[in-house]
Amino acid sequence: MASCGVRHVFAIPGKGNGGFYDALAARRDRIRHVLAKHEQGAAYMADGYARAGAPFGVCMGISAGAAINLMGGAYSANADSVPLLVITGNAPAAAFGRNAMMEFSGDPRRPDPARLFAPLTKRSIMVRSAKEVPDALVDCLQAMLSGRRGSAHLCVPFDVQMQDIGLDRVPAPLAYDARPVPEGAVLDEAARVLAAARHPVIVAGTGVVRSGAAREVVALAEALGAPIVTTLKGKSAVPNDHPLCLGHVALGRSPAAERAVKDPEADVLVAVGTTLSEWTNFAWDPAFARNAKVLQFDIDPAEITRVYPVRLAVVGDARASLAGVLARLPADPSLAAKRREAVAKLLATAGRFDAPESRFDARTPLRPQAVVTALAARLPDGTQLLADAGNNTFYTSHYYLLKARDAFYLGGGCAAMGWSVAASIGVKLALPDRPVVNVCGDGGFMMNGMELETAAAHDVAVLWVVMTDRALGMVKTFQTLFRGKDFLGCEFGDIEPARVADGLGTLGRKIERLDELDAAVADFLAEPRPTLLDVRIDGGEVPPGIMDRLGK
């Protein structure tokens, strides 16, 4: 891990992983141990650490229940193409089959950890002797970091951890082809399809972010004069204020972006780094790209035609593939200029926001639209913004217009509440010089809020903005719209997130007015420290675009 550039490990010690801790203790100068409060939090912190640019994330626990607690994080990272190494301990291999404490061996009533993690990761291995470890580790890293990235799991029983294999067996950092390029004939055909298009639309997904292909996507859009829409998870794929960027589609969508992908005149849909899943196609709305041929760029051939038939598959790294197409694309400045005018007209008529007047409404309880708008106005360029699962996803993605150097993170593959509360700590550790802000609901906060103590212990200056409405907001919205306010299982008592934050060693502030929010954000930026803002919102507001999901 140290030789690969990993500087943080997120873990909880216990019976079954003492050998790992002996090794970590000997390498304190190169690897920092971050003690999580729950294994799920460890996995999510490591996930955020990897998303923010670390070589990969590492989380670690013991066996049995601890290993099971890591499974959700393993799946979330894998679903979102994040390289995450999950390491679990186990009872001594020599004791397998003898009802050892916390034995996960595959014997009757003793689950096999390799098989448990197999459907959740790209590779899952349990070793039974020290000589297997170097090759198993290489196998896991190769799977994690090649092609479409993802998670891997390595289980090392306690007695195996304690065996000496010699430093000469430590595998060297991997060399692999990170940017596979399609054959020239495929790139030639892609350029021909684009040159012949009448009304192309570009959909930029998370693969653009992972590949660092923003410049190439913008260059393609400018060459064609084509509109760019992003997926929700790929919201930071291109600068949101670019004149050809219409916003994101599906959950919390921009009206202009929705109009573009549902335009019956759109004849070529250029899908770059997106699986075109329910998150993107408005829950399989037949109007989505109804008359368009699909030109799909993806590094994973398994994603081609999974949802839509394609006119042409371009399998390879997004940045390298687009660069190859751009080099072959004939220029037509006049046609591009006409299309740019059409995009500007669409943006002017359809707009980026639902209920734009709500963005500056200072009434109390606070409207979430105004809260997010205020955050977007006051946070600097370069902010790392995380959203959680729930109504906050819609508000944050819809009303926060990302600046040029901003980044947006969402654990959308698993859509687990509480993911962002912990993941934000990992993001900050990977990018200590960038402001890190997490917008979540009070329901999500309660699922992983104990990790605020982790931030306090390591002085990780994250700003948590908790939208407090004392409910599972999306469930309550659903029951309002479809059950006539017959609420069941969605409301909390009089919770006080700010007081919880104070008790965990961070700064908690209760926010009931926009001027209080302004002052709190200014204080955080002036003197960064782990801070939670308990923002009291009107839970009766209906999030933008929610009917695209709940209505179906």
Side-chain angles (χ1 to χ4, degrees):
M1 292 186 290
S3 67
C4 290
V6 173
R7 296 292 175 259
H8 295 82
V9 171
F10 305 86
I12 297 179
K15 183 181 185 299
N17 63 7
F20 288 123
Y21 275 79
D22 290 344
L24 285 172
R27 291 164 178 79
R28 285 192 180 100
D29 59 329
R30 299 183 67 184
I31 299 178
R32 180 180 178 185
H33 177 266
V34 179
L35 175 62
K37 306 291 112 40
H38 189 281
E39 288 86 5
Q40 186 180 74
Y44 291 161
M45 285 188 281
D47 180 344
Y49 181 67
R51 290 181 196 237
F56 52 89
V58 180
C59 59
M60 185 166 62
I62 54 175
S63 187
I68 290 171
N69 288 342
L70 290 166
M71 290 173 67
Y75 169 63
S76 182
N78 201 53
D80 284 341
S81 306
V82 177
L84 174 69
L85 179 61
V86 181
I87 301 175
T88 59
N90 207 333
F96 283 1
R98 295 190 290 162
N99 288 338
M101 184 183 297
M102 305 179 76
E103 175 189 339
F104 264 31
S105 61
D107 287 343
R109 296 189 298 136
R110 302 288 184 173
D112 181 339
R115 293 179 65 185
L116 278 177
F117 280 85
L120 311 175
T121 61
K122 292 186 70 177
R123 189 78 78 249
S124 181
I125 301 172
M126 179 172 69
V127 298
R128 293 174 182 257
S129 67
K131 66 181 181 181
E132 300 175 50
V133 172
D135 292 339
L137 181 58
V138 168
D139 195 3
C140 286
L141 294 180
Q142 187 74 47
M144 282 166 41
L145 299 171
S146 298
R148 181 177 179 178
R149 296 185 170 192
S151 60
H153 165 244
L154 179 62
C155 176
V156 185
F158 178 71
D159 53 350
V160 176
Q161 296 171 34
M162 305 305 294
Q163 296 171 15
D164 184 14
I165 58 172
L167 287 177
D168 60 329
R169 294 296 315 281
V170 175
L174 289 175
Y176 60 94
D177 181 11
R179 299 197 180 277
V181 183
E183 295 181 0
V186 174
L187 299 176
D188 290 340
E189 180 63 12
R192 283 193 290 268
V193 171
L194 291 172
R198 298 186 307 278
H199 299 286
V201 177
I202 300 171
V203 181
T206 316
V208 173
V209 180
R210 301 278 185 269
S211 175
R215 289 184 180 180
E216 286 73 18
V217 170
V218 170
L220 180 63
E222 291 175 344
L224 297 170
I228 306 169
V229 305
T230 73
T231 65
L232 172 57
K233 293 191 293 181
K235 180 176 169 64
S236 55
V238 298
N240 289 185
D241 59 355
H242 190 282
L244 291 174
C245 181
L246 301 180
H248 74 275
V249 289
L251 300 186
R253 84 291 176 271
S254 150
E258 179 176 12
R259 185 89 63 86
V261 295
K262 293 183 178 180
D263 185 349
E265 293 190 4
D267 62 333
V268 175
L269 188 79
V270 186
V272 186
T274 169
T275 62
L276 296 174
S277 69
E278 179 185 2
W279 286 89
T280 300
N281 63 24
F282 295 87
W284 302 285
D285 191 327
F288 181 85
R290 70 186 84 174
N291 297 320
K293 298 174 182 177
V294 177
L295 181 58
Q296 189 170 2
F297 291 75
D298 205 289
I299 199 168
D300 184 1
E303 293 299 336
I304 304 295
T305 73
R306 183 187 293 273
V307 181
Y308 294 100
V310 302
R311 164 63 178 82
L312 182 67
V314 184
V315 179
D317 172 72
R319 193 168 92 189
S321 299
L322 289 174
V325 171
L326 284 165
R328 293 162 167 81
L329 186 66
D332 192 337
S334 176
L335 179 58
K338 290 180 180 179
R339 287 175 178 160
R340 282 194 292 271
E341 291 175 4
V343 172
K345 183 178 179 180
L346 172 60
L347 194 54
T349 54
R352 293 184 185 274
F353 305 110
D354 282 0
E357 72 285 351
S358 67
R359 301 167 62 217
F360 307 103
D361 190 339
R363 76 177 71 171
T364 57
L366 290 171
R367 303 185 75 176
Q369 303 94 319
V371 170
V372 175
T373 300
L375 289 173
R378 285 147 185 80
L379 291 168
D381 191 8
T383 294
Q384 310 295 294
L385 178 68
L386 294 90
D388 208 61
N391 279 353
N392 68 90
T393 308
F394 293 82
Y395 291 119
T396 305
S397 63
H398 188 87
Y399 291 103
Y400 199 109
L401 194 63
L402 297 175
K403 304 172 186 69
R405 297 188 303 122
D406 287 350
F408 179 73
Y409 304 84
L410 181 72
C414 190
M417 292 176 62
W419 170 86
S420 64
V421 179
S424 56
I425 298 172
V427 171
K428 183 63 178 179
L429 287 171
L431 296 170
D433 297 327
R434 297 289 183 92
V436 175
V437 178
N438 170 216
V439 179
C440 66
D442 46 359
F445 166 70
M446 288 191 287
M447 292 188 180
N448 268 312
M450 293 300 103
E451 297 303 342
L452 266 67
E453 195 283 333
T454 305
H458 293 271
D459 194 24
V460 184
V462 171
L463 179 64
W464 288 274
V465 180
V466 179
M467 291 190 176
T468 303
D469 59 1
R470 300 172 184 170
L472 296 173
M474 183 180 289
V475 177
K476 191 171 183 179
T477 298
F478 180 86
Q479 294 182 1
T480 297
L481 295 174
F482 299 106
R483 290 174 53 90
K485 297 188 177 181
D486 178 17
F487 299 130
L488 177 64
C490 64
E491 296 181 298
F492 307 140
D494 187 12
I495 62 171
E496 296 282 350
R499 293 177 63 188
V500 174
D502 285 336
L504 293 171
T506 62
L507 174 64
R509 296 176 66 165
K510 187 174 181 178
I511 305 295
E512 296 180 299
R513 302 193 312 271
L514 286 181
D515 61 338
E516 294 175 343
L517 178 64
D518 291 346
V521 173
D523 289 347
F524 172 78
L525 294 174
E527 296 184 31
R529 57 174 293 188
T531 302
L532 180 143
L533 305 183
D534 174 7
V535 183
R536 299 307 172 108
I537 65 165
D538 182 358
E541 293 283 332
V542 177
I546 197 167
M547 291 303 294
D548 295 324
R549 180 70 180 90
L550 296 185
K552 296 178 182 179

